[in-house]
Amino acid sequence: MTEFFQFEADFVESLRCIPMQVRCKLDTCGIKLKLSDWNHMTQVERQNLVELPCSTESEIQAYRKYIQDLILQRNGTPVGELPIESHPAWMDAKTVPTSVQEKAQEIGMIITTEQWANLTPLQRFALIKLSRSGHENKNFVPALKEFNLLAKA
């Protein structure tokens, strides 16, 4: 699946930033990829990370190995690792994470459980990432609009 969001449009063609779908795959396979590591990759390698599947256990392990080998080859150092969540919040269609609710409340809105359930796992992942404190979250409102959670002006 190669799904890009409209709020990523300014960098998708060049892949100068890590798109949400790749970030989701990285979290799924437990890899912490720095933007500097991403920027040392070729366009083909970045595109591979977009296109390679990362859903089944074997795909997740293959994706993880691909990145580990790639970063070791590029930098001579192992890639950072993250704990893999057994039940990631973006896969839970019944519970809107607190960070997402708090970020929505900052702009005077509430995301209902029904609205949350109607989002795709990747859309939920994006909202979780865009709502985290310390994250540059200028795309939170554009994402809400794109996902039809907030009326477009």
Side-chain angles (χ1 to χ4, degrees), residues 1-143:
M1 175 187 71
T2 57
E3 178 183 349
F4 295 107
F5 295 120
Q6 292 170 14
F7 65 81
E8 300 176 304
D10 62 328
F11 65 81
V12 163
E13 196 170 312
S14 68
L15 288 176
R16 66 177 167 76
C17 293
I18 304 170
M20 282 293 171
Q21 62 178 297
V22 173
R23 293 175 65 186
C24 187
K25 292 174 184 181
L26 294 169
D27 280 19
T28 298
C29 74
I31 295 291
K32 179 165 181 59
L33 190 68
K34 297 180 207 151
L35 186 57
S36 59
D37 293 332
W38 177 259
N39 288 329
H40 282 98
M41 293 179 194
T42 66
Q43 190 71 14
V44 170
E45 292 164 342
R46 293 177 197 175
Q47 193 62 43
N48 284 342
L49 290 176
V50 168
E51 293 174 2
L52 285 170
C54 189
S55 298
T56 67
E57 193 55 43
S58 62
E59 290 171 350
I60 292 167
Q61 292 308 317
Y63 197 88
R64 180 180 172 85
K65 179 158 180 27
Y66 177 79
I67 297 172
Q68 287 172 325
D69 292 348
L70 183 63
I71 298 304
L72 191 58
Q73 176 188 1
R74 285 259 169 252
N75 302 346
T77 57
V79 70
E81 295 190 9
L82 297 168
I84 298 173
E85 296 180 48
S86 57
H87 301 290
W90 62 89
M91 295 304 288
D92 182 356
K94 295 180 175 130
T95 308
V96 184
T98 304
S99 66
V100 175
Q101 283 294 23
E102 288 173 352
K103 193 70 185 163
Q105 287 170 355
E106 286 177 19
I107 59 165
M109 76 166 292
I110 294 173
I111 297 173
T112 67
T113 306
E114 182 182 0
Q115 288 172 312
W116 186 253
N118 287 328
L119 297 173
T120 67
L122 186 58
Q123 289 172 326
R124 291 193 293 262
F125 176 85
L127 290 177
I128 290 167
K129 286 296 183 186
L130 294 171
S131 68
R132 290 198 171 152
S133 63
H135 183 280
E136 182 198 342
N137 36 32
K138 66 181 171 85
N139 285 324
F140 186 76
V141 171

